[in-house]
Amino acid sequence: MNTYSELNKFCQRTVLTVYAHADDEVLPAAGTLSLMSKAGWNVRCLILTDGGLSSSPIKGTRHQEADAAGKIIGATYDFHALEECNFSTQAVIKVTEEAIGRWQPDLIITHAPQPEKYGHRDHEVCAIAVSNVATRKNISLWYSAPPVFLRGFEPNFFVDITSVIEEKVAAIGCYESETNKAFMQLDAILVLSRFWARELGQKDGYFEAFEISRQCVNGSFFSAIANNSYQAIKHS
């Protein structure tokens, strides 16, 4: 298992997250996205649905909440209006390919694939479609941890988000319309973040977990590592 407490500042890169619903992006990855933004990454969040089946009856509430969360973690959002619980893999493939054409991401983060009996139908369809696109486009792909029912999720990449845990909590708190859900509660957020720390044998701190499905790097990746190592030795 690999553990990274900070993300390298090689050059400006773009991470594209693709999630079914607004709030799916902050629950598993708000801390990591915040760290990426601070390190100079362009953070783009693609939300497939408009929140029509959310807890709030007011149209557009979830979008407003997402924009507020984005200001905290340094992300900008693109919203689509696919029909919740009824969109197809082909629809997600089309939307994702269009986003890739616009933003040319170096990395995509999305839902971890899970059987429907354990996870949300929309999450599963999204994961299958985005995996298809990332594979064909040869783009690095991470799966983020499900908020509940971790069956089948096998993380191999962990990010120390201790320095931005308050930002993660604040970003999730922006989704006031969803606070009735158990996994949106403060104790649940902190317990899961501490759970991943314990998985690594860490006594303290908060972590987010990912499963790297595919990782693509070019020569500049190794050059940057070599340069960073040289600078570290030079200043030691």
Side-chain angles (χ1 to χ4, degrees), residues 176-227:
E176 294 182 5
S177 66
E178 302 301 298
T179 53
N180 61 311
K181 297 176 180 177
F183 53 79
M184 298 289 284
Q185 304 303 310
L186 176 61
D187 60 342
I189 297 166
L190 298 180
V191 165
L192 186 56
S193 299
R194 290 291 298 123
F195 171 79
W196 296 125
R198 296 293 174 85
E199 282 288 288
L200 290 167
Q202 301 289 323
K203 294 181 179 180
D204 301 302
Y206 300 93
F207 283 75
E208 289 175 340
F210 301 88
E211 181 179 345
I212 297 179
S213 172
R214 54 188 292 110
Q215 188 71 32
C216 314
V217 298
N218 57 30
S220 64
F221 176 88
F222 299 101
S223 298
I225 290 176
N227 290 337

mmCIF file of all heavy atoms in Angstrom, residues 176-227:
data_model
loop_
_atom_site.group_PDB
_atom_site.id
_atom_site.type_symbol
_atom_site.label_atom_id
_atom_site.label_comp_id
_atom_site.label_asym_id
_atom_site.label_seq_id
_atom_site.Cartn_x
_atom_site.Cartn_y
_atom_site.Cartn_z
ATOM 1 N N GLU A 176 -26.596 21.225 3.224
ATOM 2 C CA GLU A 176 -27.552 21.241 4.330
ATOM 3 C C GLU A 176 -28.810 20.428 4.002
ATOM 4 O O GLU A 176 -29.449 19.867 4.904
ATOM 5 C CB GLU A 176 -27.930 22.677 4.667
ATOM 6 C CG GLU A 176 -26.767 23.506 5.216
ATOM 7 C CD GLU A 176 -27.196 24.916 5.586
ATOM 8 O OE1 GLU A 176 -28.413 25.209 5.496
ATOM 9 O OE2 GLU A 176 -26.324 25.714 5.959
ATOM 10 N N SER A 177 -29.164 20.336 2.727
ATOM 11 C CA SER A 177 -30.378 19.613 2.352
ATOM 12 C C SER A 177 -30.234 18.113 2.567
ATOM 13 O O SER A 177 -31.239 17.388 2.562
ATOM 14 C CB SER A 177 -30.724 19.884 0.887
ATOM 15 O OG SER A 177 -29.737 19.348 0.020
ATOM 16 N N GLU A 178 -29.000 17.633 2.756
ATOM 17 C CA GLU A 178 -28.761 16.198 2.897
ATOM 18 C C GLU A 178 -28.326 15.794 4.301
ATOM 19 O O GLU A 178 -27.900 14.653 4.519
ATOM 20 C CB GLU A 178 -27.692 15.760 1.890
ATOM 21 C CG GLU A 178 -28.047 16.047 0.442
ATOM 22 C CD GLU A 178 -29.345 15.361 0.030
ATOM 23 O OE1 GLU A 178 -29.396 14.121 0.066
ATOM 24 O OE2 GLU A 178 -30.322 16.078 -0.314
ATOM 25 N N THR A 179 -28.413 16.705 5.250
ATOM 26 C CA THR A 179 -27.891 16.424 6.588
ATOM 27 C C THR A 179 -28.703 15.384 7.357
ATOM 28 O O THR A 179 -28.273 14.924 8.420
ATOM 29 C CB THR A 179 -27.833 17.715 7.430
ATOM 30 O OG1 THR A 179 -29.116 18.362 7.419
ATOM 31 C CG2 THR A 179 -26.787 18.673 6.873
ATOM 32 N N ASN A 180 -29.851 14.981 6.820
ATOM 33 C CA ASN A 180 -30.633 13.948 7.491
ATOM 34 C C ASN A 180 -30.023 12.556 7.302
ATOM 35 O O ASN A 180 -30.375 11.610 8.014
ATOM 36 C CB ASN A 180 -32.068 13.935 6.955
ATOM 37 C CG ASN A 180 -32.116 13.631 5.458
ATOM 38 O OD1 ASN A 180 -31.385 14.231 4.672
ATOM 39 N ND2 ASN A 180 -33.000 12.726 5.058
ATOM 40 N N LYS A 181 -29.086 12.423 6.382
ATOM 41 C CA LYS A 181 -28.456 11.132 6.126
ATOM 42 C C LYS A 181 -27.395 10.842 7.178
ATOM 43 O O LYS A 181 -26.606 11.726 7.538
ATOM 44 C CB LYS A 181 -27.819 11.117 4.735
ATOM 45 C CG LYS A 181 -28.827 11.280 3.608
ATOM 46 C CD LYS A 181 -28.145 11.350 2.256
ATOM 47 C CE LYS A 181 -29.163 11.513 1.137
ATOM 48 N NZ LYS A 181 -28.526 11.668 -0.194
ATOM 49 N N ALA A 182 -27.362 9.610 7.652
ATOM 50 C CA ALA A 182 -26.460 9.246 8.749
ATOM 51 C C ALA A 182 -25.000 9.489 8.398
ATOM 52 O O ALA A 182 -24.215 9.966 9.224
ATOM 53 C CB ALA A 182 -26.672 7.787 9.132
ATOM 54 N N PHE A 183 -24.608 9.176 7.159
ATOM 55 C CA PHE A 183 -23.196 9.296 6.799
ATOM 56 C C PHE A 183 -22.759 10.736 6.543
ATOM 57 O O PHE A 183 -21.584 10.990 6.285
ATOM 58 C CB PHE A 183 -22.866 8.426 5.583
ATOM 59 C CG PHE A 183 -23.753 8.640 4.391
ATOM 60 C CD1 PHE A 183 -23.580 9.714 3.541
ATOM 61 C CD2 PHE A 183 -24.760 7.736 4.109
ATOM 62 C CE1 PHE A 183 -24.388 9.903 2.440
ATOM 63 C CE2 PHE A 183 -25.588 7.907 3.005
ATOM 64 C CZ PHE A 183 -25.396 9.001 2.166
ATOM 65 N N MET A 184 -23.709 11.694 6.627
ATOM 66 C CA MET A 184 -23.366 13.110 6.505
ATOM 67 C C MET A 184 -23.084 13.740 7.863
ATOM 68 O O MET A 184 -22.685 14.903 7.944
ATOM 69 C CB MET A 184 -24.509 13.871 5.826
ATOM 70 C CG MET A 184 -24.811 13.435 4.416
ATOM 71 S SD MET A 184 -23.552 13.919 3.235
ATOM 72 C CE MET A 184 -23.900 15.662 3.046
ATOM 73 N N GLN A 185 -23.284 12.994 8.933
ATOM 74 C CA GLN A 185 -23.091 13.530 10.277
ATOM 75 C C GLN A 185 -21.600 13.642 10.603
ATOM 76 O O GLN A 185 -20.775 12.859 10.124
ATOM 77 C CB GLN A 185 -23.778 12.638 11.306
ATOM 78 C CG GLN A 185 -25.261 12.427 11.047
ATOM 79 C CD GLN A 185 -26.025 13.752 10.982
ATOM 80 O OE1 GLN A 185 -25.900 14.584 11.862
ATOM 81 N NE2 GLN A 185 -26.818 13.928 9.938
ATOM 82 N N LEU A 186 -21.260 14.604 11.448
ATOM 83 C CA LEU A 186 -19.871 14.876 11.773
ATOM 84 C C LEU A 186 -19.157 13.648 12.321
ATOM 85 O O LEU A 186 -18.025 13.342 11.909
ATOM 86 C CB LEU A 186 -19.780 16.025 12.789
ATOM 87 C CG LEU A 186 -18.373 16.359 13.303
ATOM 88 C CD1 LEU A 186 -17.473 16.791 12.152
ATOM 89 C CD2 LEU A 186 -18.440 17.451 14.376
ATOM 90 N N ASP A 187 -19.800 12.923 13.221
ATOM 91 C CA ASP A 187 -19.128 11.764 13.814
ATOM 92 C C ASP A 187 -18.834 10.701 12.768
ATOM 93 O O ASP A 187 -17.770 10.071 12.782
ATOM 94 C CB ASP A 187 -19.944 11.190 14.972
ATOM 95 C CG ASP A 187 -21.332 10.723 14.566
ATOM 96 O OD1 ASP A 187 -21.806 11.133 13.491
ATOM 97 O OD2 ASP A 187 -21.938 9.943 15.334
ATOM 98 N N ALA A 188 -19.737 10.519 11.822
ATOM 99 C CA ALA A 188 -19.525 9.529 10.769
ATOM 100 C C ALA A 188 -18.357 9.928 9.868
ATOM 101 O O ALA A 188 -17.543 9.082 9.471
ATOM 102 C CB ALA A 188 -20.791 9.362 9.942
ATOM 103 N N ILE A 189 -18.266 11.205 9.550
ATOM 104 C CA ILE A 189 -17.184 11.703 8.701
ATOM 105 C C ILE A 189 -15.830 11.475 9.371
ATOM 106 O O ILE A 189 -14.880 10.969 8.758
ATOM 107 C CB ILE A 189 -17.381 13.210 8.422
ATOM 108 C CG1 ILE A 189 -18.679 13.443 7.653
ATOM 109 C CG2 ILE A 189 -16.191 13.778 7.654
ATOM 110 C CD1 ILE A 189 -19.122 14.890 7.637
ATOM 111 N N LEU A 190 -15.746 11.826 10.640
ATOM 112 C CA LEU A 190 -14.483 11.698 11.364
ATOM 113 C C LEU A 190 -14.122 10.239 11.616
ATOM 114 O O LEU A 190 -12.948 9.851 11.502
ATOM 115 C CB LEU A 190 -14.551 12.463 12.686
ATOM 116 C CG LEU A 190 -14.768 13.983 12.560
ATOM 117 C CD1 LEU A 190 -14.817 14.614 13.947
ATOM 118 C CD2 LEU A 190 -13.668 14.622 11.727
ATOM 119 N N VAL A 191 -15.118 9.434 11.945
ATOM 120 C CA VAL A 191 -14.854 8.012 12.220
ATOM 121 C C VAL A 191 -14.304 7.320 10.975
ATOM 122 O O VAL A 191 -13.343 6.545 11.062
ATOM 123 C CB VAL A 191 -16.131 7.305 12.721
ATOM 124 C CG1 VAL A 191 -15.973 5.792 12.646
ATOM 125 C CG2 VAL A 191 -16.439 7.717 14.152
ATOM 126 N N LEU A 192 -14.897 7.578 9.807
ATOM 127 C CA LEU A 192 -14.409 6.935 8.595
ATOM 128 C C LEU A 192 -13.001 7.409 8.251
ATOM 129 O O LEU A 192 -12.147 6.605 7.845
ATOM 130 C CB LEU A 192 -15.356 7.214 7.422
ATOM 131 C CG LEU A 192 -15.034 6.483 6.110
ATOM 132 C CD1 LEU A 192 -14.968 4.975 6.322
ATOM 133 C CD2 LEU A 192 -16.042 6.835 5.029
ATOM 134 N N SER A 193 -12.734 8.702 8.440
ATOM 135 C CA SER A 193 -11.393 9.231 8.176
ATOM 136 C C SER A 193 -10.371 8.632 9.133
ATOM 137 O O SER A 193 -9.223 8.376 8.742
ATOM 138 C CB SER A 193 -11.396 10.758 8.290
ATOM 139 O OG SER A 193 -12.277 11.338 7.343
ATOM 140 N N ARG A 194 -10.768 8.403 10.356
ATOM 141 C CA ARG A 194 -9.877 7.763 11.328
ATOM 142 C C ARG A 194 -9.742 6.272 11.032
ATOM 143 O O ARG A 194 -8.678 5.680 11.258
ATOM 144 C CB ARG A 194 -10.423 7.952 12.756
ATOM 145 C CG ARG A 194 -10.344 9.361 13.277
ATOM 146 C CD ARG A 194 -8.893 9.812 13.543
ATOM 147 N NE ARG A 194 -8.270 8.976 14.554
ATOM 148 C CZ ARG A 194 -7.139 8.293 14.342
ATOM 149 N NH1 ARG A 194 -6.530 8.328 13.178
ATOM 150 N NH2 ARG A 194 -6.616 7.568 15.312
ATOM 151 N N PHE A 195 -10.802 5.649 10.513
ATOM 152 C CA PHE A 195 -10.747 4.235 10.149
ATOM 153 C C PHE A 195 -9.638 3.992 9.132
ATOM 154 O O PHE A 195 -8.863 3.036 9.256
ATOM 155 C CB PHE A 195 -12.094 3.797 9.581
ATOM 156 C CG PHE A 195 -12.082 2.425 8.972
ATOM 157 C CD1 PHE A 195 -12.141 1.294 9.780
ATOM 158 C CD2 PHE A 195 -12.007 2.256 7.596
ATOM 159 C CE1 PHE A 195 -12.133 0.015 9.219
ATOM 160 C CE2 PHE A 195 -12.001 0.986 7.029
ATOM 161 C CZ PHE A 195 -12.061 -0.131 7.847
ATOM 162 N N TRP A 196 -9.555 4.866 8.116
ATOM 163 C CA TRP A 196 -8.510 4.693 7.109
ATOM 164 C C TRP A 196 -7.133 4.911 7.705
ATOM 165 O O TRP A 196 -6.159 4.257 7.294
ATOM 166 C CB TRP A 196 -8.754 5.624 5.928
ATOM 167 C CG TRP A 196 -10.013 5.324 5.177
ATOM 168 C CD1 TRP A 196 -11.036 6.173 4.894
ATOM 169 C CD2 TRP A 196 -10.387 4.057 4.609
ATOM 170 N NE1 TRP A 196 -12.033 5.543 4.187
ATOM 171 C CE2 TRP A 196 -11.653 4.231 3.997
ATOM 172 C CE3 TRP A 196 -9.788 2.801 4.556
ATOM 173 C CZ2 TRP A 196 -12.319 3.196 3.353
ATOM 174 C CZ3 TRP A 196 -10.452 1.770 3.917
ATOM 175 C CH2 TRP A 196 -11.689 1.963 3.321
ATOM 176 N N ALA A 197 -7.030 5.808 8.685
ATOM 177 C CA ALA A 197 -5.744 5.986 9.368
ATOM 178 C C ALA A 197 -5.346 4.711 10.101
ATOM 179 O O ALA A 197 -4.196 4.261 10.036
ATOM 180 C CB ALA A 197 -5.826 7.163 10.345
ATOM 181 N N ARG A 198 -6.295 4.101 10.788
ATOM 182 C CA ARG A 198 -6.023 2.859 11.516
ATOM 183 C C ARG A 198 -5.656 1.725 10.566
ATOM 184 O O ARG A 198 -4.854 0.848 10.907
ATOM 185 C CB ARG A 198 -7.232 2.475 12.366
ATOM 186 C CG ARG A 198 -7.556 3.475 13.477
ATOM 187 C CD ARG A 198 -6.484 3.508 14.547
ATOM 188 N NE ARG A 198 -6.716 4.551 15.524
ATOM 189 C CZ ARG A 198 -7.504 4.421 16.595
ATOM 190 N NH1 ARG A 198 -8.160 3.292 16.791
ATOM 191 N NH2 ARG A 198 -7.645 5.423 17.440
ATOM 192 N N GLU A 199 -6.253 1.722 9.383
ATOM 193 C CA GLU A 199 -5.912 0.707 8.388
ATOM 194 C C GLU A 199 -4.427 0.762 8.038
ATOM 195 O O GLU A 199 -3.831 -0.242 7.650
ATOM 196 C CB GLU A 199 -6.741 0.915 7.112
ATOM 197 C CG GLU A 199 -8.170 0.429 7.211
ATOM 198 C CD GLU A 199 -8.259 -1.095 7.218
ATOM 199 O OE1 GLU A 199 -8.033 -1.705 6.176
ATOM 200 O OE2 GLU A 199 -8.555 -1.648 8.298
ATOM 201 N N LEU A 200 -3.855 1.949 8.165
ATOM 202 C CA LEU A 200 -2.430 2.133 7.869
ATOM 203 C C LEU A 200 -1.559 2.003 9.109
ATOM 204 O O LEU A 200 -0.339 2.147 9.028
ATOM 205 C CB LEU A 200 -2.211 3.526 7.260
ATOM 206 C CG LEU A 200 -2.768 3.721 5.856
ATOM 207 C CD1 LEU A 200 -2.783 5.190 5.495
ATOM 208 C CD2 LEU A 200 -1.960 2.930 4.860
ATOM 209 N N GLY A 201 -2.183 1.756 10.254
ATOM 210 C CA GLY A 201 -1.423 1.658 11.490
ATOM 211 C C GLY A 201 -1.070 3.005 12.092
ATOM 212 O O GLY A 201 -0.158 3.103 12.921
ATOM 213 N N GLN A 202 -1.799 4.050 11.680
ATOM 214 C CA GLN A 202 -1.548 5.388 12.200
ATOM 215 C C GLN A 202 -2.358 5.624 13.468
ATOM 216 O O GLN A 202 -3.566 5.407 13.483
ATOM 217 C CB GLN A 202 -1.934 6.441 11.153
ATOM 218 C CG GLN A 202 -1.183 6.318 9.846
ATOM 219 C CD GLN A 202 0.273 6.713 9.979
ATOM 220 O OE1 GLN A 202 0.610 7.649 10.705
ATOM 221 N NE2 GLN A 202 1.144 6.004 9.294
ATOM 222 N N LYS A 203 -1.696 6.087 14.508
ATOM 223 C CA LYS A 203 -2.392 6.350 15.765
ATOM 224 C C LYS A 203 -3.186 7.647 15.705
ATOM 225 O O LYS A 203 -4.189 7.805 16.409
ATOM 226 C CB LYS A 203 -1.388 6.405 16.915
ATOM 227 C CG LYS A 203 -0.704 5.078 17.208
ATOM 228 C CD LYS A 203 0.245 5.222 18.383
ATOM 229 C CE LYS A 203 0.913 3.886 18.702
ATOM 230 N NZ LYS A 203 1.852 3.986 19.841
ATOM 231 N N ASP A 204 -2.710 8.569 14.902
ATOM 232 C CA ASP A 204 -3.353 9.880 14.813
ATOM 233 C C ASP A 204 -3.602 10.228 13.350
ATOM 234 O O ASP A 204 -3.092 9.594 12.439
ATOM 235 C CB ASP A 204 -2.473 10.955 15.462
ATOM 236 C CG ASP A 204 -2.187 10.666 16.923
ATOM 237 O OD1 ASP A 204 -3.158 10.546 17.690
ATOM 238 O OD2 ASP A 204 -1.001 10.545 17.275
ATOM 239 N N GLY A 205 -4.369 11.299 13.151
ATOM 240 C CA GLY A 205 -4.579 11.819 11.811
ATOM 241 C C GLY A 205 -5.841 11.306 11.136
ATOM 242 O O GLY A 205 -6.540 10.426 11.634
ATOM 243 N N TYR A 206 -6.103 11.910 9.975
ATOM 244 C CA TYR A 206 -7.274 11.585 9.176
ATOM 245 C C TYR A 206 -6.832 11.318 7.736
ATOM 246 O O TYR A 206 -5.981 12.026 7.202
ATOM 247 C CB TYR A 206 -8.276 12.745 9.201
ATOM 248 C CG TYR A 206 -8.766 13.081 10.590
ATOM 249 C CD1 TYR A 206 -8.128 14.053 11.356
ATOM 250 C CD2 TYR A 206 -9.856 12.427 11.150
ATOM 251 C CE1 TYR A 206 -8.573 14.361 12.636
ATOM 252 C CE2 TYR A 206 -10.308 12.722 12.425
ATOM 253 C CZ TYR A 206 -9.655 13.695 13.162
ATOM 254 O OH TYR A 206 -10.090 13.990 14.428
ATOM 255 N N PHE A 207 -7.416 10.301 7.136
ATOM 256 C CA PHE A 207 -7.025 9.905 5.788
ATOM 257 C C PHE A 207 -8.247 9.694 4.899
ATOM 258 O O PHE A 207 -9.354 9.436 5.379
ATOM 259 C CB PHE A 207 -6.226 8.593 5.832
ATOM 260 C CG PHE A 207 -4.792 8.757 6.283
ATOM 261 C CD1 PHE A 207 -4.487 8.983 7.615
ATOM 262 C CD2 PHE A 207 -3.751 8.679 5.369
ATOM 263 C CE1 PHE A 207 -3.178 9.128 8.037
ATOM 264 C CE2 PHE A 207 -2.428 8.822 5.778
ATOM 265 C CZ PHE A 207 -2.138 9.046 7.110
ATOM 266 N N GLU A 208 -8.015 9.787 3.591
ATOM 267 C CA GLU A 208 -8.979 9.358 2.589
ATOM 268 C C GLU A 208 -8.360 8.214 1.807
ATOM 269 O O GLU A 208 -7.143 8.165 1.616
ATOM 270 C CB GLU A 208 -9.355 10.508 1.653
ATOM 271 C CG GLU A 208 -10.215 11.553 2.343
ATOM 272 C CD GLU A 208 -10.514 12.767 1.487
ATOM 273 O OE1 GLU A 208 -9.783 13.015 0.501
ATOM 274 O OE2 GLU A 208 -11.476 13.489 1.819
ATOM 275 N N ALA A 209 -9.200 7.292 1.363
ATOM 276 C CA ALA A 209 -8.720 6.078 0.709
ATOM 277 C C ALA A 209 -9.229 5.990 -0.729
ATOM 278 O O ALA A 209 -10.368 6.373 -1.023
ATOM 279 C CB ALA A 209 -9.187 4.854 1.490
ATOM 280 N N PHE A 210 -8.359 5.477 -1.589
ATOM 281 C CA PHE A 210 -8.691 5.310 -2.996
ATOM 282 C C PHE A 210 -8.167 3.966 -3.485
ATOM 283 O O PHE A 210 -7.228 3.401 -2.927
ATOM 284 C CB PHE A 210 -8.065 6.423 -3.845
ATOM 285 C CG PHE A 210 -8.496 7.808 -3.443
ATOM 286 C CD1 PHE A 210 -7.808 8.506 -2.459
ATOM 287 C CD2 PHE A 210 -9.597 8.406 -4.035
ATOM 288 C CE1 PHE A 210 -8.208 9.777 -2.065
ATOM 289 C CE2 PHE A 210 -10.001 9.681 -3.656
ATOM 290 C CZ PHE A 210 -9.307 10.359 -2.663
ATOM 291 N N GLU A 211 -8.780 3.484 -4.531
ATOM 292 C CA GLU A 211 -8.282 2.301 -5.222
ATOM 293 C C GLU A 211 -7.819 2.760 -6.606
ATOM 294 O O GLU A 211 -8.622 3.254 -7.402
ATOM 295 C CB GLU A 211 -9.378 1.247 -5.342
ATOM 296 C CG GLU A 211 -8.911 -0.024 -6.030
ATOM 297 C CD GLU A 211 -10.001 -1.068 -6.107
ATOM 298 O OE1 GLU A 211 -11.016 -0.935 -5.388
ATOM 299 O OE2 GLU A 211 -9.844 -2.025 -6.895
ATOM 300 N N ILE A 212 -6.525 2.634 -6.862
ATOM 301 C CA ILE A 212 -6.007 3.029 -8.166
ATOM 302 C C ILE A 212 -6.350 1.939 -9.165
ATOM 303 O O ILE A 212 -5.828 0.827 -9.094
ATOM 304 C CB ILE A 212 -4.486 3.262 -8.130
ATOM 305 C CG1 ILE A 212 -4.151 4.426 -7.192
ATOM 306 C CG2 ILE A 212 -3.960 3.550 -9.533
ATOM 307 C CD1 ILE A 212 -2.668 4.713 -7.085
ATOM 308 N N SER A 213 -7.223 2.266 -10.101
ATOM 309 C CA SER A 213 -7.603 1.317 -11.134
ATOM 310 C C SER A 213 -6.554 1.274 -12.239
ATOM 311 O O SER A 213 -6.214 0.210 -12.744
ATOM 312 C CB SER A 213 -8.966 1.689 -11.722
ATOM 313 O OG SER A 213 -9.283 0.890 -12.840
ATOM 314 N N ARG A 214 -6.077 2.460 -12.612
ATOM 315 C CA ARG A 214 -5.002 2.550 -13.608
ATOM 316 C C ARG A 214 -4.227 3.827 -13.351
ATOM 317 O O ARG A 214 -4.794 4.858 -12.979
ATOM 318 C CB ARG A 214 -5.560 2.512 -15.042
ATOM 319 C CG ARG A 214 -6.625 3.542 -15.324
ATOM 320 C CD ARG A 214 -7.281 3.318 -16.689
ATOM 321 N NE ARG A 214 -6.352 3.584 -17.774
ATOM 322 C CZ ARG A 214 -5.843 2.642 -18.570
ATOM 323 N NH1 ARG A 214 -6.170 1.386 -18.408
ATOM 324 N NH2 ARG A 214 -5.024 2.954 -19.546
ATOM 325 N N GLN A 215 -2.924 3.769 -13.512
ATOM 326 C CA GLN A 215 -2.067 4.931 -13.277
ATOM 327 C C GLN A 215 -1.137 5.071 -14.470
ATOM 328 O O GLN A 215 -0.358 4.155 -14.770
ATOM 329 C CB GLN A 215 -1.251 4.765 -11.992
ATOM 330 C CG GLN A 215 -0.468 5.995 -11.571
ATOM 331 C CD GLN A 215 -1.357 7.118 -11.062
ATOM 332 O OE1 GLN A 215 -2.401 6.861 -10.481
ATOM 333 N NE2 GLN A 215 -0.951 8.354 -11.274
ATOM 334 N N CYS A 216 -1.219 6.188 -15.152
ATOM 335 C CA CYS A 216 -0.410 6.426 -16.342
ATOM 336 C C CYS A 216 0.534 7.597 -16.066
ATOM 337 O O CYS A 216 0.084 8.664 -15.649
ATOM 338 C CB CYS A 216 -1.292 6.761 -17.539
ATOM 339 S SG CYS A 216 -2.718 5.662 -17.732
ATOM 340 N N VAL A 217 1.830 7.391 -16.282
ATOM 341 C CA VAL A 217 2.805 8.465 -16.072
ATOM 342 C C VAL A 217 3.724 8.524 -17.275
ATOM 343 O O VAL A 217 3.919 7.537 -17.983
ATOM 344 C CB VAL A 217 3.631 8.250 -14.782
ATOM 345 C CG1 VAL A 217 2.744 8.246 -13.562
ATOM 346 C CG2 VAL A 217 4.455 6.954 -14.867
ATOM 347 N N ASN A 218 4.314 9.706 -17.504
ATOM 348 C CA ASN A 218 5.282 9.846 -18.590
ATOM 349 C C ASN A 218 6.656 10.173 -18.020
ATOM 350 O O ASN A 218 6.854 10.209 -16.798
ATOM 351 C CB ASN A 218 4.828 10.924 -19.586
ATOM 352 C CG ASN A 218 4.599 12.275 -18.900
ATOM 353 O OD1 ASN A 218 5.240 12.592 -17.903
ATOM 354 N ND2 ASN A 218 3.686 13.064 -19.448
ATOM 355 N N GLY A 219 7.607 10.413 -18.881
ATOM 356 C CA GLY A 219 8.978 10.633 -18.434
ATOM 357 C C GLY A 219 9.141 11.793 -17.476
ATOM 358 O O GLY A 219 10.021 11.767 -16.613
ATOM 359 N N SER A 220 8.317 12.831 -17.622
ATOM 360 C CA SER A 220 8.447 14.000 -16.748
ATOM 361 C C SER A 220 8.167 13.651 -15.291
ATOM 362 O O SER A 220 8.667 14.307 -14.381
ATOM 363 C CB SER A 220 7.501 15.113 -17.212
ATOM 364 O OG SER A 220 6.150 14.701 -17.101
ATOM 365 N N PHE A 221 7.339 12.621 -15.074
ATOM 366 C CA PHE A 221 7.037 12.185 -13.716
ATOM 367 C C PHE A 221 8.320 11.784 -12.994
ATOM 368 O O PHE A 221 8.583 12.193 -11.870
ATOM 369 C CB PHE A 221 6.066 11.009 -13.786
ATOM 370 C CG PHE A 221 5.730 10.382 -12.446
ATOM 371 C CD1 PHE A 221 4.682 10.869 -11.697
ATOM 372 C CD2 PHE A 221 6.454 9.308 -11.965
ATOM 373 C CE1 PHE A 221 4.364 10.298 -10.471
ATOM 374 C CE2 PHE A 221 6.149 8.735 -10.745
ATOM 375 C CZ PHE A 221 5.102 9.227 -10.006
ATOM 376 N N PHE A 222 9.157 10.995 -13.663
ATOM 377 C CA PHE A 222 10.388 10.518 -13.048
ATOM 378 C C PHE A 222 11.436 11.631 -12.960
ATOM 379 O O PHE A 222 12.213 11.683 -12.016
ATOM 380 C CB PHE A 222 10.925 9.320 -13.842
ATOM 381 C CG PHE A 222 9.958 8.167 -13.869
ATOM 382 C CD1 PHE A 222 9.172 7.945 -14.980
ATOM 383 C CD2 PHE A 222 9.805 7.337 -12.770
ATOM 384 C CE1 PHE A 222 8.256 6.904 -15.009
ATOM 385 C CE2 PHE A 222 8.885 6.296 -12.785
ATOM 386 C CZ PHE A 222 8.113 6.076 -13.905
ATOM 387 N N SER A 223 11.422 12.523 -13.947
ATOM 388 C CA SER A 223 12.347 13.658 -13.893
ATOM 389 C C SER A 223 12.043 14.535 -12.690
ATOM 390 O O SER A 223 12.947 15.009 -12.001
ATOM 391 C CB SER A 223 12.238 14.489 -15.183
ATOM 392 O OG SER A 223 12.591 13.722 -16.303
ATOM 393 N N ALA A 224 10.745 14.744 -12.432
ATOM 394 C CA ALA A 224 10.342 15.565 -11.294
ATOM 395 C C ALA A 224 10.759 14.918 -9.982
ATOM 396 O O ALA A 224 11.221 15.594 -9.056
ATOM 397 C CB ALA A 224 8.836 15.796 -11.319
ATOM 398 N N ILE A 225 10.604 13.597 -9.897
ATOM 399 C CA ILE A 225 11.023 12.888 -8.689
ATOM 400 C C ILE A 225 12.522 13.039 -8.487
ATOM 401 O O ILE A 225 13.009 13.311 -7.378
ATOM 402 C CB ILE A 225 10.645 11.393 -8.776
ATOM 403 C CG1 ILE A 225 9.130 11.230 -8.687
ATOM 404 C CG2 ILE A 225 11.318 10.599 -7.657
ATOM 405 C CD1 ILE A 225 8.663 9.798 -8.857
ATOM 406 N N ALA A 226 13.282 12.883 -9.589
ATOM 407 C CA ALA A 226 14.736 13.012 -9.500
ATOM 408 C C ALA A 226 15.141 14.414 -9.072
ATOM 409 O O ALA A 226 16.014 14.597 -8.222
ATOM 410 C CB ALA A 226 15.362 12.669 -10.853
ATOM 411 N N ASN A 227 14.472 15.434 -9.636
ATOM 412 C CA ASN A 227 14.786 16.821 -9.277
ATOM 413 C C ASN A 227 14.445 17.109 -7.833
ATOM 414 O O ASN A 227 15.195 17.784 -7.109
ATOM 415 C CB ASN A 227 14.026 17.779 -10.195
ATOM 416 C CG ASN A 227 14.546 17.758 -11.612
ATOM 417 O OD1 ASN A 227 15.700 17.386 -11.848
ATOM 418 N ND2 ASN A 227 13.705 18.132 -12.566
#
